Amino acid sequence: MKFSIGGPLKLAFRPWVEGLENIPAEGPAILASNHLSFSDSFFLPAVLDRKVTFIAKAEYFTTPGVKGRMTAAFFKGVGQLPVDRSGGRGAGEAAIKSGVDVIERGELFGIYPEGTRSPDGRLYRGKPGGLARVALATGAPVIPVAMIDTEKIQPPGKVMPKLMRPGIRIGRPLDFSRYNGMEHDRFVLRAVTDEVMYEIMKLSGQEYVDIYATAAKRQIADEAKAQKQALKEAQKEAEQAQKEAQKEAQKEAEQAERQTEKDEKERSDS
């Protein structure tokens, strides 16, 4: 990935990087990043000398057809780990186990605490499950990362990227050893996650929204649906009003025509 994609990616987009010295030369660490674009998982590993393993949704590995097989081969080739996000608690446990396995191998584990891409470029509340539990279960340092402007390069739904320079800010490692043995305490998990999200916010400069990105996406979808329904109803009302106006105009024209005929008859009789 670094040679076949990373090199050309850096050459074409020339990403700028701050805080590269905060990435350890060896040993495990968790890279916790904001998530603006599909391309985040390519730009971050491309600028690092070490391999970064992310967890990826299982659909990337199970989609049928030629395109699906090519996508699966690509994600397997770059070492991404499939996780089924539809299985509720079981899916979350699988993601945590995958992260712990990566850390125990002494590698870098990448995770997006928001759980999904930001729908509007703002930073959303971090989910306390994966990030905090992997950090507390392994004792690995958490390194906050901020991707800058990647959503402008490849917004959701866009296939062809726009050539511009993205940025990557890497913060100092965070040590949560004070919480050792408390990985099942939900208040501790929340505190760890919020601390990491605060550091990401400072690095990225994003506006913070204290709701989950998944909830925001549902809200945006519901609003779009409501707007579409309102537009449909408005169009229907406009069409009805137009029909009534046409009927009224036709009625007035007929009345005027009858009045004209009446006037002409009266003149003829006189």
Side-chain angles (χ1 to χ4, degrees):
M1 186 271 193
K2 291 184 182 296
F3 289 101
S4 65
I5 296 179
L9 201 68
K10 289 191 289 184
L11 184 64
F13 293 93
R14 299 180 299 116
W16 54 266
V17 187
E18 296 177 0
L20 198 58
E21 68 278 3
N22 292 320
I23 302 294
E26 58 183 19
I30 300 169
L31 305 184
S33 173
N34 60 340
H35 198 13
L36 298 173
S37 168
F38 175 79
S39 59
D40 294 337
S41 298
F42 300 98
F43 280 112
L44 180 56
V47 301
L48 303 181
D49 293 332
R50 299 182 60 186
K51 175 184 176 181
V52 183
T53 300
F54 287 89
I55 52 176
K57 59 183 180 180
E59 291 89 331
Y60 288 142
F61 299 82
T62 58
T63 302
V66 176
K67 182 179 179 181
R69 289 196 294 271
M70 292 177 63
T71 302
F74 171 79
F75 277 92
K76 290 177 182 176
V78 297
Q80 305 306 286
L81 302 174
V83 173
D84 183 0
R85 302 189 301 180
S86 64
R89 183 175 178 81
E93 294 295 334
I96 293 167
K97 184 179 185 304
S98 297
V100 171
D101 289 343
V102 172
I103 294 299
E104 288 180 345
R105 293 198 300 266
E107 301 173 1
L108 298 179
F109 176 59
I111 189 169
Y112 301 113
E114 292 169 280
T116 186
R117 282 177 285 183
S118 170
D120 54 14
R122 296 185 294 176
L123 184 68
Y124 285 85
R125 193 181 195 198
K127 293 189 173 182
L131 166 65
R133 285 187 59 185
V134 172
L136 298 184
T138 62
V142 178
I143 302 175
V145 177
M147 307 301 295
I148 311 292
D149 290 336
T150 53
E151 81 283 9
K152 298 176 183 177
I153 292 175
Q154 191 179 29
K158 297 292 184 180
V159 177
M160 294 301 296
K162 177 182 178 182
L163 284 177
M164 61 176 292
R165 293 190 73 186
I168 302 173
R169 288 197 181 99
I170 304 171
R172 295 182 178 180
L174 303 175
D175 178 19
F176 295 106
S177 59
R178 62 189 183 278
Y179 295 124
N180 282 349
M182 304 176 70
E183 61 267 23
H184 297 293
D185 187 319
R186 62 188 180 92
F187 296 106
V188 170
L189 297 178
R190 182 76 266 163
V192 169
T193 304
D194 287 346
E195 183 175 338
V196 174
M197 297 308 296
Y198 179 72
E199 294 299 321
I200 294 175
M201 182 187 69
K202 289 197 301 182
L203 291 169
S204 68
Q206 291 170 277
E207 177 187 349
Y208 179 75
V209 186
D210 196 25
I211 62 172
Y212 293 123
T214 48
K217 286 184 175 181
R218 286 194 299 269
Q219 182 178 342
I220 292 172
D222 290 343
E223 290 175 353
K225 184 178 179 180
Q227 289 177 356
K228 184 177 179 180
Q229 183 63 29
L231 178 60
K232 185 177 179 180
E233 292 177 357
Q235 289 176 339
K236 185 176 180 180
E237 291 176 359
E239 291 173 358
Q240 184 64 31
Q242 185 178 14
K243 288 179 181 179
E244 292 178 356
Q246 289 174 346
K247 287 180 180 180
E248 187 64 27
Q250 184 178 0
K251 182 179 179 180
E252 292 177 354
E254 290 174 352
Q255 290 176 345
E257 185 178 355
R258 286 194 297 269
Q259 184 64 42
T260 301
E261 292 176 351
K262 181 179 179 181
D263 293 342
E264 289 179 353
K265 184 178 180 181
E266 291 176 350
R267 285 195 297 270
S268 175
D269 292 341
S270 62

